[in-house]
Amino acid sequence: MNLTIIGSGYVGLVTGACLADIGNDVFCLDVDARKIELLNQGVVPIHEPGLQEIIERNRRARRLTFSTDVEAAVAHGDVQFIAVGTPPDEDGSADLQYVLAAARNIGRHMKGFKVVVDKSTVPVGTAALVHDAIASELRKRGESHMFSVVSNPEFLKEGAAVEDFARPDRIVLGCNDDVPGERAREVMKRLYAPFNRNHERTLYMDVHSAEFTKYAANAMLATRISFMNELANLADRVGADIEAVRRGVGSDPRIGYDFLYAGCGYGGSCFPKDVKALMRTAEDFGEPLQILRAVESVNEAQKQVLAQKIVTRFGSDLAGRTFGVWGLAFKPNTDDMREAPSRTLIAELLARGASVKAYDPVATDEAKRVLALDLARAPEQQTRLSFVHDAMEAASGADAVVVATEWKVFKAPDFDALKSHLKMPIVFDGRNLYDPHALQELGIEYHAVGRASATQASRARAEVAATQALA
Ligand SMILES: NC(=O)c1ccc[n+]([C@@H]2O[C@H](COP(=O)([O-])OP(=O)(O)OC[C@H]3O[C@@H](n4cnc5c(N)ncnc54)[C@H](O)[C@@H]3O)[C@@H](O)[C@H]2O)c1
């Protein structure tokens, strides 16, 4: 099938590459000429495991084209995927300007039947706006062509996007009941048939429900995280270990283990903006979502949890102190720095006078770019931020190491080496990666999220052991 992907970012590139990989002829469009130039040189501008190989393989097989040519893009695809960004507007609603610009381009150039797929995350009612934008351009041209707008939200996770796209849990497809809608449904059914061979994964529904499903899923996941984070903060107070609690509640099949990890808050390109957008929709319809309001404010506070623990330990004035930060991306296996908790942490440490040595396995370039913007009004603070090439270098001479992202490479570091590099053997762990007892036995002071009891119990045991040894 001939397909066009409008927007070659995290979602567009993965969608285009994976659909080319099963034999489709895919044309990827972007307005960013630099991005297209890089892709045409074989350079993939984002970090996503496995993506480079698939793009290379399909470019060589001439099933994958990258271009800024709008007219050629519209001419190419029987199916036009809109996969452009939907960032938050000032009032929190999803900014649809890129989606509607893409729609107008389709209307300006289409010459026959098109299936237009909203793959971007868009509020309920957007398919109708996309339809109107296309229809209005057709009217201006005095032409009439059949088309249908379907909602096919994307559920891939950055860091595992290729795997998620190739083996989806579900494919949500919202189509209209009219004649163009029925035709579009058949086209999409054929397109996704290879993904449904093992069992039917496509969930057919009306357009509004499909649009809503994406927001509902992200809101539900964000809620689990914020709820666990709130419980973790309470666990710290009452003397419980949130990791033990997580296992205790996760073993209930009605709850399950996934998405129950406490930490230093969620970030990324989706949860923060989708929570905001859903709240905005709810308010517009006079049905405010009170739980989501709490989810958002808990998350904002949680992004400060590491800085607070550092202040409790070292005092509010951090001048003269140095912290090694391990992990900058909002989660492992991506270079995406959008809304990453590390940004809040670093800004707070620098504002309190500390120096920061930051390390991330892949996100350093992107981190340099976004932190320069974050700190644009504080040039003096920027001079106290440096980026290093490995984890031990970040720890070297530091007062403590702070883990902000759970990259695999941080999961079992050489703690003896870490101790010898640090000025003080102290670890602040925003992702609860380590065993408090093991670190205590190694003589490392350990601060995690919701694990004060485990740390204290271990400290008490060590003190008893030391007293017994003396006696
Ligand atoms: N990133 C994720 O993990 C993820 C997962 C599921 C859904 N989504 C949703 O998918 C959408 C895209 O997200 P993303 O992370 O890929 O964004 P992105 O910012 O990485 O990519 C968007 C791309 O669209 C391009 N673009 C903008 N306007 C254009 C136009 N008129 N024509 C052609 N190209 C245009 C931009 O230059 C950019 O390269 C968003 O709505 C997002 O919420 C993202």
Side-chain angles (χ1 to χ4, degrees):
M1 212 180 276
N2 282 355
L3 310 174
T4 292
I5 315 286
I6 305 171
S8 303
Y10 286 87
V11 167
L13 274 182
V14 172
T15 303
C18 291
L19 289 174
D21 214 33
I22 54 168
N24 296 294
D25 189 339
V26 180
F27 189 113
C28 289
L29 175 79
D30 206 285
V31 286
D32 184 340
R34 173 85 191 118
K35 197 177 263 188
I36 293 298
E37 194 184 318
L38 286 173
L39 285 161
N40 280 324
Q41 288 163 4
V43 180
V44 178
I46 56 168
H47 177 85
E48 194 55 58
L51 185 59
Q52 172 94 42
E53 294 85 324
I54 304 185
I55 289 184
E56 206 36 54
R57 181 160 72 231
N58 287 283
R59 239 167 48 88
R60 259 189 271 117
R62 298 186 185 283
R63 282 194 299 264
L64 196 53
T65 310
F66 299 105
S67 171
T68 55
D69 185 340
V70 174
E71 197 173 340
V74 177
H76 179 85
D78 304 318
V79 182
Q80 303 271 320
F81 282 91
I82 300 180
V84 300
T86 45
D89 221 333
E90 273 165 21
D91 64 357
S93 62
D95 180 351
L96 293 178
Q97 63 168 308
Y98 307 105
V99 170
L100 296 177
R104 284 193 295 274
N105 281 338
I106 296 171
R108 260 174 223 139
H109 299 290
M110 66 187 277
K111 298 219 164 63
F113 178 72
K114 299 282 177 194
V115 179
V116 178
V117 182
D118 281 348
K119 192 148 251 328
S120 298
T121 302
V122 289
V124 175
T126 303
L129 298 178
V130 167
H131 184 280
D132 291 351
I134 297 171
S136 144
E137 290 300 324
L138 282 173
R139 268 197 307 278
K140 281 189 207 160
R141 286 163 55 198
E143 289 193 26
S144 161
H145 300 291
M146 194 196 268
F147 68 96
S148 186
V149 182
V150 309
S151 168
N152 172 215
E154 183 50 58
F155 295 92
L156 61 76
K157 303 182 287 296
E158 280 178 27
V162 169
E163 180 63 21
D164 285 349
F165 196 93
R167 266 173 279 282
D169 306 321
R170 76 297 213 190
I171 298 165
V172 168
L173 202 58
C175 302
N176 286 323
D177 278 339
D178 52 10
V179 172
E182 294 294 341
R183 191 166 160 190
R185 192 196 321 263
E186 285 313 307
V187 172
M188 295 305 286
K189 201 171 175 178
R190 246 188 307 129
L191 175 65
Y192 282 132
F195 300 92
N196 287 317
R197 281 196 69 192
N198 180 269
H199 63 273
E200 182 65 52
R201 292 180 161 96
T202 308
L203 304 172
Y204 296 96
M205 55 183 82
D206 63 276
V207 174
H208 280 188
S209 302
E211 291 171 332
F212 199 2
T213 298
K214 174 65 192 177
Y215 282 104
N218 276 357
M220 188 96 59
L221 293 170
T223 302
R224 272 172 84 102
I225 296 176
S226 272
F227 188 54
M228 263 329 256
N229 283 338
E230 232 182 358
L231 292 180
N233 298 339
L234 181 59
D236 267 341
R237 300 281 170 159
V238 300
D241 177 0
I242 198 67
E243 269 301 291
V245 175
R246 180 185 68 78
R247 287 191 288 272
V249 297
S251 56
D252 182 333
R254 292 170 303 176
I255 296 174
Y257 292 104
D258 291 344
F259 260 78
L260 281 190
Y261 291 94
C264 53
Y266 62 73
S269 66
C270 291
F271 288 0
K273 85 172 170 60
D274 293 351
V275 163
K276 274 193 176 58
L278 186 55
M279 276 162 51
R280 186 71 248 167
T281 301
E283 274 156 31
D284 289 349
F285 282 82
E287 199 65 48
L289 293 174
Q290 297 177 46
I291 291 176
L292 268 200
R293 246 186 234 155
V295 166
E296 192 189 40
S297 74
V298 166
N299 194 57
E300 282 312 300
Q302 199 67 12
K303 285 181 170 183
Q304 292 285 357
V305 79
L306 284 172
Q308 274 163 8
K309 283 177 189 287
I310 290 169
V311 165
T312 305
R313 174 63 179 78
F314 289 105
S316 59
D317 181 5
L318 299 176
R321 304 243 175 230
T322 299
F323 296 92
V325 173
W326 283 5
L328 299 168
F330 86 92
K331 68 172 180 177
N333 299 325
T334 181
D335 57 350
D336 199 337
M337 286 292 298
R338 289 178 276 190
E339 308 266 348
S342 67
R343 292 167 72 168
T344 312
L345 166 73
I346 290 173
E348 190 63 29
L349 294 179
L350 294 173
R352 290 180 180 277
S355 296
V356 170
K357 290 205 283 179
Y359 169 67
D360 189 282
V362 306
T364 303
D365 288 345
E366 185 57 9
K368 280 182 184 165
R369 189 184 71 77
V370 300
L371 283 161
L373 295 174
D374 290 355
L375 301 169
R377 291 218 195 99
E380 185 278 325
Q381 292 183 17
Q382 280 197 47
T383 62
R384 285 185 274 110
L385 171 62
S386 59
F387 296 88
V388 296
H389 298 290
D390 78 68
M392 289 304 163
E393 206 183 332
S396 189
D399 291 270
V401 142
V402 193
V403 181
T405 315
E406 66 274 37
W407 282 95
K408 214 178 192 174
V409 58
F410 302 143
K411 287 191 177 167
D414 177 342
F415 285 113
D416 289 327
L418 177 62
K419 248 176 95 171
S420 70
H421 277 88
L422 282 167
K423 204 192 293 175
M424 302 168 88
I426 304 178
V427 171
F428 292 88
D429 180 0
R431 300 296 174 182
N432 288 351
L433 296 184
Y434 310 127
D435 174 358
H437 308 303
L439 261 69
Q440 213 78 49
E441 268 163 26
L442 287 166
I444 296 175
E445 188 182 313
Y446 184 52
H447 302 265
V449 182
R451 313 204 68 192
S453 71
T455 313
Q456 278 152 13
S458 156
R459 205 173 288 157
R461 263 205 302 277
E463 276 161 19
V464 170
T467 318
Q468 282 168 349
L470 283 175

